[in-house]
Amino acid sequence: MKSILLGLCMVCANLMGYAQDNPLPKLDLGLFSTDHKQIDTSAHAIVLHEHGRTELEVIEANRGLMVVTKVFVRKKILDKDGVDAANIEIPLYKYGSDMEYVREIKGKTLNFEKGNLQTDELKKEAIFTDKVSPYSEKLKFTLPNIKDNSIIEYSYTIISPAVRTFRSWYFQSEYPVLHSEYVAVIPSSFEYNVNLKGYYPLADQKSSVLNKHFVLNGVRQDCSRMTYIMKNVPAFKDEDYMLAPVNFISSINFELRTYFDPSGPHTNYAKKWSDIDMDLMQEKDFGGQIKNKGAFKDILPGIIEGKDNKLDIAKSIYYYLQKNIVWNDFLGKFAENGIKKALETKKGNIADINLGLVAALNAAEVEAYPVIISTRNNGIPSYIFPVMTDFNAVICMAKIDGKDYLLDASKKFLPFGELSLSSINDRGRVIFSKNQSDWVTLANAVPSKKSYNIMAKLDSTGKMKGTIRAQYNGLDALIKRSEIDSYNTFEEYEEKLVEGVSSIRLMSSKVENLEEVEKSLIEVMEFEMDMRDNYRGDNFILNPIMYDRTTNNPFKLDERNYPVDLGAPQIEVFNINISVPVGFNLSNKPKDSAMTLPENSAKYTFRSIFDNNILLLQQTTTLNKAIFTPEEYFHLKEFFSRIIQQQMTDFQFKKI
């Protein structure tokens, strides 16, 4: 792309064609009194009209070709819970040495009260920028004087060096959108792939030619003016167990395919995978790191000493890097400092660590390759054509005794051969060589499992004492270990744990195998519970699932157009043993229950026995696959609804 920028020093855009008045329609005062809640009773704000326009322009201050996107938005705040719609955040990214920036920020709040239209302008002091990382920033501003039925308008211009990938335009948001319009103006010497995502169709699509709109080396070029419109787009409803919303929100995306030089040959930017494989392996911060076996020459013998098979050797190297290099919380396909410096400073980005892992394994004669991935919140990478910007991280694949192991040594507490939830995002691309790569499924074979063994005794005064033994495996173990580690001391964790379980009083707790990540994490808690309020004369009621009971259905939508992605199969088991006072008998209890979804994709069992003053209860919930299709959503929603109903029913005891 640099060659294009240098070659376009004489390029200038027809700014008269770019300059335009505010494209938002004239404000209708009737909008203030219109009941927009009828569109979506759960909505607290609504987008009345939004317009975006993207063009290419040479900006002298940047000494090259830039992408200029103008955005105009009009929203209505429906009630006090919609004030967040007046808080605007614009993410900005660094490309090479150039950071995107924003100019021409304008905004105002309009209130119509007692027949008068009141206007409050956005003040400069309300605009500020936060640095998120060395590679990204967020520009923020808040519109003033927000009330019920306020209408806000704002506009801004983003200047970006990302000529190869326009900023995505989202027709859908967390609020209902009445009208969303996007215009792309493309010079004839540029050809882009256009990709429309989401589940809602365009209301209108138009194209026209802007004659002699763009000037290149003194020669005027025509431009294609493409307009895309969506109307009455429902709010996007975020829900548990879903991949990044960017995968499903209706949007349009542009990627440069070909640049036609009017005075020379054309350049193809829509590369094949073999081109990307070559580029990556020749890049010193990618392929160069993999070849750096010398960084481990002095320490490798000590790491693998006494290990006589490749699996043990690989595990020793993996856990050494995991414990000796702290991840600095930065992602990336390319090493930031390199494995040598990461070993010296004991910190690095995800590529420093995992490309170093590939190098170390290869140095120990264990077959290993880098795998570029898109993390879960970054969106699923395109399969239609290779898009390098889709990938934002790298992990490792080791091939040992005919089995493939996906490894990420950057994550503390992550066992060998398992992935964190953030890395489980459909597929990654394993780079075998300069001319060979292939897709690999990102998944954990180990189920995510929680088991609770509760033993308790209820005395005649209504006091219950007992022990909860919780055992965690798979992703549940990783999440729990990370939660405990996030506190400065175990005592601080214990305090938060006590605050989070108001129904019971925790007397003590201890954790086993916190650092031994290939073993189950075990947490043992001693508790007391005052159940005097459960007594009604000669009767008392008891709900034995007193800890970590499911009380809210994670699936609430009437319809879901995207998969339920759990990250891994899930198992939850309760084994409960409660001794009740002598002289009481069980008078009523929940019926034993068993449910199975089609093709055994999920199963639930609930069984109880009361004998010799001991109540025994076993409940097992098993989700046998990690991903459920939208067609299975209703069954899964109903499945959890019935589980919650089952758990809400109390056991009733009566004095003999």
Side-chain angles (χ1 to χ4, degrees):
M1 200 67 234
K2 289 182 179 178
S3 61
I4 293 179
L5 298 181
L6 294 173
L8 295 182
C9 289
M10 300 299 294
V11 178
C12 65
N14 186 337
L15 295 179
M16 290 184 65
Y18 182 77
Q20 57 177 323
D21 296 328
N22 189 331
L24 299 179
K26 184 179 178 181
L27 182 66
D28 180 358
L29 295 181
L31 292 171
F32 287 98
S33 58
T34 301
D35 183 10
H36 288 102
K37 274 280 189 180
Q38 293 182 356
I39 296 171
D40 182 347
T41 56
S42 65
H44 303 294
I46 189 168
V47 179
L48 299 170
H49 199 107
E50 59 184 4
H51 179 99
R53 179 181 172 109
T54 297
E55 293 201 49
L56 299 176
E57 179 185 342
V58 166
I59 297 182
E60 294 300 329
N62 297 95
R63 299 174 58 191
L65 189 65
M66 305 294 278
V67 180
V68 180
T69 300
K70 279 188 170 287
V71 177
F72 300 83
V73 181
R74 177 182 288 156
K75 295 178 185 175
K76 182 179 178 182
I77 312 300
L78 303 183
D79 55 42
K80 63 181 180 180
D81 293 324
V83 294
D84 280 347
N87 299 322
I88 313 304
E89 294 187 357
I90 307 168
L92 303 170
Y93 303 100
K94 192 173 186 178
Y95 295 87
S97 60
D98 295 323
M99 178 70 79
E100 296 178 320
Y101 62 95
V102 180
R103 68 184 188 190
E104 299 171 5
I105 302 171
K106 297 178 181 178
K108 58 185 177 182
T109 301
L110 303 165
N111 289 296
F112 191 66
E113 297 176 335
K114 298 179 180 179
N116 295 315
L117 184 63
Q118 177 185 335
T119 302
D120 292 280
E121 299 286 344
L122 174 67
K123 300 290 194 297
K124 285 185 178 180
E125 52 268 27
I127 304 170
F128 60 96
T129 301
D130 283 344
K131 186 171 183 178
V132 179
S133 77
Y135 314 104
S136 63
E137 299 175 348
K138 269 188 183 175
L139 185 140
K140 302 179 180 180
F141 59 86
T142 299
L143 279 302
N145 196 22
I146 301 300
K147 304 176 182 179
D148 288 4
N149 296 314
S150 291
I151 290 178
I152 61 174
E153 293 185 0
Y154 57 90
S155 62
Y156 54 86
T157 301
I158 302 174
I159 312 298
S160 172
V163 176
R164 288 179 60 176
T165 52
F166 287 2
R167 182 175 287 249
S168 298
W169 177 263
Y170 296 100
F171 297 99
Q172 192 175 19
S173 75
E174 60 186 305
Y175 308 111
V177 179
L178 297 188
H179 184 104
S180 181
E181 182 172 336
Y182 179 68
V183 177
V185 178
I186 310 294
S188 58
S189 54
F190 291 82
E191 195 172 81
Y192 284 82
N193 289 318
V194 183
N195 181 25
L196 190 67
K197 287 184 179 180
Y199 297 94
Y200 296 98
L202 292 168
D204 196 9
Q205 181 176 351
K206 298 178 285 190
S207 63
S208 60
V209 176
L210 300 179
N211 294 315
K212 311 299 182 182
H213 185 74
F214 191 78
V215 180
L216 176 62
N217 293 333
V219 179
R220 289 189 173 274
Q221 293 184 28
D222 295 342
C223 289
S224 297
R225 184 183 190 275
M226 296 172 288
T227 303
Y228 306 88
I229 298 172
M230 282 193 186
K231 294 183 178 182
N232 302 317
V233 186
F236 183 83
K237 305 289 187 181
D238 203 348
E239 199 177 30
D240 290 344
Y241 305 119
M242 61 175 288
L243 297 180
V246 70
N247 296 308
F248 314 111
I249 291 177
S250 293
S251 65
I252 194 162
N253 309 273
F254 288 76
E255 171 133 9
L256 182 62
R257 180 168 68 237
T258 309
Y259 167 66
F260 298 93
D261 188 339
S263 59
H266 68 271
T267 304
N268 288 321
Y269 288 92
K271 296 183 177 182
K272 297 176 291 190
W273 271 112
S274 57
D275 299 323
I276 288 178
D277 300 340
M278 179 69 73
D279 290 346
L280 286 172
M281 296 305 284
Q282 289 181 337
E283 168 63 50
K284 67 180 180 65
D285 292 327
F286 190 93
Q289 294 302 309
I290 296 169
K291 298 171 188 173
N292 191 9
K293 300 177 185 179
F296 297 92
K297 184 175 68 171
D298 295 332
I299 62 174
L300 190 59
I303 296 172
I304 64 175
E305 184 180 4
K307 307 299 186 245
D308 55 6
N309 66 71
K310 290 196 173 183
L311 182 59
D312 287 343
I313 289 171
K315 285 186 175 184
S316 296
I317 294 170
Y318 173 83
Y319 288 121
Y320 178 87
L321 291 179
Q322 186 185 66
K323 292 175 182 177
N324 285 277
I325 304 179
V326 176
W327 180 42
N328 62 13
D329 292 333
F330 292 137
L331 298 170
K333 301 180 289 291
F334 302 106
E336 185 176 324
N337 300 310
I339 183 58
K340 185 177 179 181
K341 189 171 182 180
L343 285 166
E344 292 171 356
T345 61
K346 297 188 179 299
K347 64 180 179 180
N349 76 346
I350 192 170
D352 287 324
I353 298 168
N354 288 327
L355 293 177
L357 176 60
V358 175
L361 291 173
N362 286 335
E365 298 184 354
V366 176
E367 187 180 0
Y369 305 97
V371 181
I372 54 174
I373 67 170
S374 174
T375 53
R376 200 172 180 90
N377 63 354
N378 192 56
I380 297 173
S382 171
Y383 308 134
I384 301 172
F385 41 80
V387 182
M388 269 301 291
T389 53
D390 281 358
F391 300 89
N392 68 333
V394 61
I395 58 173
C396 169
M397 173 192 275
K399 289 181 168 290
I400 304 170
D401 300 328
K403 184 176 179 180
D404 295 342
Y405 295 86
L406 292 174
L407 309 172
D408 179 5
S410 72
K411 300 294 191 297
K412 190 176 181 180
F413 301 123
L414 187 61
F416 183 93
E418 294 184 34
L419 295 176
S420 64
L421 185 61
S422 64
S423 295
I424 300 173
N425 188 34
D426 199 64
R427 290 187 281 184
R429 191 81 181 184
V430 55
I431 312 298
F432 291 113
S433 66
K434 290 182 179 180
N435 54 18
Q436 185 185 3
S437 64
D438 202 0
W439 292 109
V440 60
T441 300
L442 301 172
N444 279 349
V446 177
S448 187
K449 184 176 181 180
K450 292 186 287 189
S451 298
Y452 300 107
N453 290 288
I454 302 174
M455 293 197 67
K457 183 175 182 179
L458 177 65
D459 65 24
S460 57
T461 67
K463 180 178 288 187
M464 180 185 286
K465 291 184 177 181
T467 303
I468 301 170
R469 187 178 190 273
Q471 183 171 313
Y472 304 90
N473 295 88
L475 284 175
D476 281 318
L478 174 64
I479 293 167
K480 193 66 177 178
R481 283 186 169 101
S482 300
E483 179 190 355
I484 295 170
D485 187 61
S486 68
Y487 293 91
N488 294 321
T489 64
F490 185 76
E491 287 71 25
E492 285 187 21
Y493 163 73
E494 227 176 1
E495 289 176 11
K496 289 294 181 182
L497 187 65
V498 169
E499 292 174 10
V501 285
S502 56
S503 60
I504 62 177
R505 183 185 175 199
L506 288 180
M507 309 302 295
S508 67
S509 65
K510 64 178 182 178
V511 171
E512 301 172 14
N513 306 327
L514 181 63
E515 301 286 342
E516 297 172 87
V517 298
E518 293 198 0
K519 294 182 179 180
S520 300
L521 178 68
I522 296 171
E523 186 173 27
V524 180
M525 295 161 279
E526 303 289 335
F527 74 94
E528 288 185 354
M529 192 171 183
D530 186 349
M531 299 193 63
R532 285 175 294 181
D533 290 342
N534 292 44
Y535 280 81
R536 301 287 187 273
D538 291 340
N539 302 284
F540 76 86
I541 59 174
L542 172 65
N543 195 316
I545 304 177
M546 61 195 72
Y547 184 77
D548 204 23
R549 183 171 69 202
T550 302
T551 56
N552 294 307
N553 194 330
F555 308 111
K556 302 177 178 66
L557 302 181
D558 294 330
E559 182 181 10
R560 179 157 161 163
N561 294 318
Y562 41 88
V564 173
D565 193 315
L566 307 171
Q570 293 193 356
I571 303 170
E572 182 184 73
V573 178
F574 282 90
N575 290 302
I576 300 174
N577 181 315
I578 298 178
S579 172
V580 303
V582 174
F584 282 89
N585 204 357
L586 184 64
S587 60
N588 196 16
K589 70 165 191 170
K591 293 181 180 179
D592 289 352
S593 176
M595 290 186 291
T596 303
L597 291 189
E599 300 179 4
N600 201 36
S601 60
K603 188 175 182 179
Y604 172 77
T605 58
F606 181 100
R607 295 186 179 89
S608 65
I609 299 173
F610 182 70
D611 184 46
N612 198 26
N613 289 92
I614 302 292
L615 174 63
L616 299 174
L617 169 66
Q618 183 180 66
Q619 175 182 277
T620 303
T621 307
T622 306
L623 303 174
N624 288 315
K625 60 183 187 177
I627 299 174
F628 290 79
T629 67
E631 291 74 25
E632 296 173 300
Y633 178 78
F634 176 78
H635 298 292
L636 198 61
K637 178 181 176 181
E638 183 65 18
F639 180 78
F640 274 90
S641 178
R642 292 189 182 185
I643 290 173
I644 292 169
Q645 290 175 16
Q646 178 81 20
Q647 293 180 156
M648 287 175 64
T649 306
D650 294 322
F651 288 77
Q652 299 178 16
F653 294 85
K654 187 173 183 179
K655 201 165 188 177
I656 299 172

